[in-house]
Amino acid sequence: MTVTLRPREPGRTTPAGGIRHSFLLCDNGRPIGELTLSADGGTPRRGRIDHLWVAEPERRRGRGGIALLAAEEVLRSRGCDRVWALFPIPSGASGDTEGAVAAAGLAEAFGYRPLGVLLRAASSEGVARERGETDGEGTPPDGTAVDVPLGPGLAPARLRIVDGASGGAEAWFRAPLAGEAGGPCGTEVLDAVEEAVRRAGAVSLAVCTGPGRSPDEVECRERGYLPGHRVVGKRLG
């Protein structure tokens, strides 16, 4: 068995100064899967596995692990010191449930730790909303920083604008601890942040929240945030 990555096209520069690569996963030259990677434009760079898929007949034979190791090596060569990935939350309703479970197990076996859960819903205001529930240690990805004023004498909220998996810009925001903002309630913070996301031209928003943070889970769910993906990550040695 000789598993290799075959570039599907030259690396593409993203609007935020990063780079995206797309590969075919091949066994002795025969395509058996797909892999898409990206590295942001920050320093140090953070890498992301946007898409990893192995054809069903080729699973449980070590192909996914080889692809994951190869992906990490490509990202190291691009100067990345960390990598994160999104995996669909398994659901019997639709999609490749078996593949989602296998991908999550593969990531755990290779040392990826949970960073949170992203939830998404369409927004009538033109912002695709996401909410991420972290374990308290997850941090937003690197990218262009945008400060969002919350009121006189209050510390601004900070957005991170990064390259999205679909090609558009995505905004990430970590909800402050309750009381840190000083005045605005959770929904008012969301109003200000979502307006800043629209002005920045981002197509989605990830809000990382958890116990003791505002906006909290209830406030986010009332705004239409629904389950989407799990987030995992690790440092590249």
Side-chain angles (χ1 to χ4, degrees):
M1 177 180 68
T2 303
V3 178
T4 57
L5 297 182
R6 179 193 300 170
R8 303 183 73 166
E9 59 183 4
R12 295 185 290 113
T13 302
T14 66
I19 189 168
R20 179 169 287 115
H21 296 277
S22 180
F23 301 92
L24 287 176
L25 179 64
C26 298
D27 181 9
N28 291 321
R30 177 175 58 90
I32 60 171
E34 300 169 347
L35 176 66
T36 304
L37 309 173
S38 58
D40 67 24
T43 303
R45 279 183 160 177
R46 182 186 295 249
R48 183 171 67 201
I49 299 173
D50 296 315
H51 175 64
L52 173 57
W53 174 80
V54 177
E56 198 282 331
E58 304 295 333
R59 295 174 187 171
R60 295 172 293 277
R61 301 173 66 182
R63 268 72 163 166
I66 293 173
L68 195 57
L69 290 174
E72 293 178 2
E73 189 58 35
V74 171
L75 293 173
R76 285 191 191 93
S77 73
R78 297 297 183 266
C80 297
D81 68 346
R82 288 167 292 174
V83 58
W84 61 285
L86 298 177
F87 292 113
I89 295 176
S91 171
S94 61
D96 185 359
T97 300
E98 181 182 352
V101 172
L106 180 67
E108 182 179 0
F110 279 79
Y112 288 75
R113 70 181 184 90
L115 296 180
V117 179
L118 293 184
L119 296 91
R120 171 176 292 176
S123 166
S124 60
E125 291 83 13
V127 175
R129 296 177 180 150
E130 294 186 357
R131 173 195 157 270
E133 181 180 357
T134 73
D135 57 6
E137 299 178 359
T139 57
D142 298 326
T144 303
V146 176
D147 286 338
V148 182
L150 296 179
L154 301 177
R158 171 156 291 187
L159 289 174
R160 295 283 181 178
I161 309 298
V162 300
D163 299 322
S166 62
E170 294 178 346
W172 286 66
F173 165 66
R174 189 176 188 187
L177 292 170
E180 279 186 2
C185 67
T187 55
E188 291 172 329
V189 172
L190 278 176
D191 287 339
V193 168
E194 290 181 356
E195 178 59 29
V197 171
R198 284 189 286 270
R199 291 197 304 267
V203 298
S204 64
L205 169 64
V207 180
C208 299
T209 190
R213 295 188 176 273
S214 180
D216 62 17
E217 179 176 354
V218 172
E219 291 169 318
C220 290
R221 285 188 176 275
E222 289 177 347
R223 297 285 285 260
Y225 293 71
L226 300 173
H229 293 76
R230 299 191 185 279
V231 187
V232 298
K234 67 182 287 188
R235 291 190 175 273
L236 297 176

